[in-house]
């Protein structure tokens, strides 16, 4: 690759940086990172509202999501996205933007795989510690961003009731808006989010789950009254 023009000279970079159904146009070093320009290979797009395909291009625009690091460098994508006309008379939309479902969710600021990596870091370390590790790995984000990724996590259906849970609060907006997260410590995954951090809300949640045997909580953040009110036999760890 010639750094001057930034164009890959072979299929090597395309194989190294996997962008599903996309073609890589440019790879340009920028500071400590890489900027990868790409576009979708398909000549047409499918309307997400009516399902009819169209090859009539209305306009183009750019999206700039962050991606997983590559070769020790942070990566930002410059995706050239087309907007198509929808000619289906029964459809309520006249135009639509092409989708990249395997790579990127609509309006997302990072790829699905980058969001998944941050989710795993957040589940293992939490917000601030996760932010420090992510920065060393080439994914500089704030602790609040990692918590937002966790907040958007779709929690899978529980298999049986939890018996060992951890309870902690976290700030959606520091000093203003808080939430409470419940984690199944045996399966190592979150099981519920509660708006606010009131003792009454924690107590109500625990009353609905009488099978809980062990409760772990930060002594200085979750009020004991919430635990005692919902699970009288448990003062928490």
């Amino acid at each position: 690759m010639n750094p001057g023009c930034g164009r890959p000279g072979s299929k090597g970079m395309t194989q190294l940086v996997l962008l599903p159904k996309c073609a890589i146009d440019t790879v340009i070093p920028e500071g400590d990172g890489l900027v990868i320009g790409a576009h979708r290979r398909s000549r047409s797009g499918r309307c997400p509202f009516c399902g009819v395909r169209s090859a009539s291009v209305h306009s183009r625009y750019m999206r700039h999501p962050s991606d997983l690091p590559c070769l020790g460098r942070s990566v930002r994508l410059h995706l050239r996205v087309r907007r198509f006309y929808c000619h289906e008379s029964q459809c309520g939309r006249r135009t639509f933007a092409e989708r990249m479902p395997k790579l990127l969710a609509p309006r997302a600021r990072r790829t699905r795989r980058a969001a998944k990596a941050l989710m795993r870091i957040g589940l293992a370390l939490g917000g601030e510690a996760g932010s420090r590790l992510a920065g060393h790995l080439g994914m500089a984000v704030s602790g609040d961003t990692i918590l937002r990724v966790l907040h958007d996590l779709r929690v899978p259906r529980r298999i049986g009731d939890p018996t060992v849970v951890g309870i902690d609060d976290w700030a959606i907006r520091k000093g203003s808006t808080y939430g409470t997260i419940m984690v199944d410590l045996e399966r190592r995954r979150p099981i519920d989010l509660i708006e606010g951090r009131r003792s009454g809300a924690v107590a109500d949640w625990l009353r609905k789950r009488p099978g809980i045997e062990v409760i772990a909580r930060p002594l200085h953040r979750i009020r004991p009254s919430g635990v005692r009110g919902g699970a009288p036999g448990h003062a928490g760890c």
Side-chain angles (χ1 to χ4, degrees):
M1 183 183 72
N2 183 348
C5 65
R7 294 186 177 278
S10 67
K11 295 181 180 179
M13 182 56 72
T14 301
Q15 294 172 349
L16 182 63
V17 183
L18 298 177
L19 302 179
K21 297 185 178 181
C22 293
I24 294 178
D25 302 317
T26 58
V27 180
I28 303 173
E30 186 178 83
D32 295 330
L34 296 173
V35 176
I36 299 177
H39 68 278
R40 189 171 172 83
R41 289 196 184 96
S42 175
R43 295 184 178 181
S44 62
R46 187 183 299 277
C47 177
F49 303 96
C50 67
V52 174
R53 280 198 168 276
S54 172
S56 301
V57 177
H58 172 272
S59 57
R60 293 175 174 84
Y61 65 96
M62 300 296 293
R63 294 185 65 179
H64 308 280
S66 57
D67 198 5
L68 289 176
C70 178
L71 300 175
R73 294 188 172 207
S74 61
V75 173
R76 183 167 297 277
L77 304 180
H78 283 194
L79 298 175
R80 191 167 74 250
V81 182
R82 295 165 294 181
R83 180 171 288 278
F84 293 94
Y85 287 103
C86 182
H87 297 298
E88 174 58 45
S89 59
Q90 301 300 319
C91 184
R93 299 297 294 266
R94 298 185 61 184
T95 66
F96 63 92
E98 62 183 337
R99 301 291 178 90
M100 303 178 185
K102 292 185 178 181
L103 178 65
L104 192 64
R107 296 180 294 278
R109 300 177 62 182
R110 57 185 54 85
T111 61
R112 292 185 185 277
R113 58 197 179 196
K116 188 175 182 180
L118 291 178
M119 177 201 73
R120 287 175 173 171
I121 290 173
L123 288 175
L125 298 176
E128 293 304 322
S131 172
R132 291 192 292 271
L133 175 60
H136 290 306
L137 296 177
M139 296 183 291
V141 294
S142 67
D144 289 340
T145 295
I146 290 184
L147 292 178
R148 281 194 294 269
V149 171
L150 292 178
H151 183 264
D152 294 337
L153 174 65
R154 292 186 178 181
V155 180
R157 187 184 299 274
R158 293 198 315 273
I159 302 176
D161 292 329
T163 57
V164 181
V165 300
I167 304 176
D168 199 358
D169 64 351
W170 55 281
I172 301 174
R173 180 173 295 176
K174 206 166 209 179
S176 173
T177 309
Y178 290 86
T180 302
I181 186 171
M182 311 299 189
V183 180
D184 186 329
L185 296 181
E186 292 181 302
R187 297 183 178 96
R188 298 186 179 183
R189 66 186 188 190
I191 53 178
D192 208 348
L193 293 172
I194 299 176
E195 184 176 354
R197 53 180 180 177
R198 296 177 295 105
S199 299
V202 174
D204 290 341
W205 189 90
L206 291 171
R207 287 192 197 100
K208 297 175 183 177
R209 294 159 180 83
I212 293 176
E213 299 174 1
V214 178
I215 301 169
R217 63 178 177 85
L219 295 176
H220 63 292
R221 291 165 73 173
I222 301 297
R223 296 180 181 177
S225 57
V227 175
R228 287 195 294 267
H234 302 80
C237 301

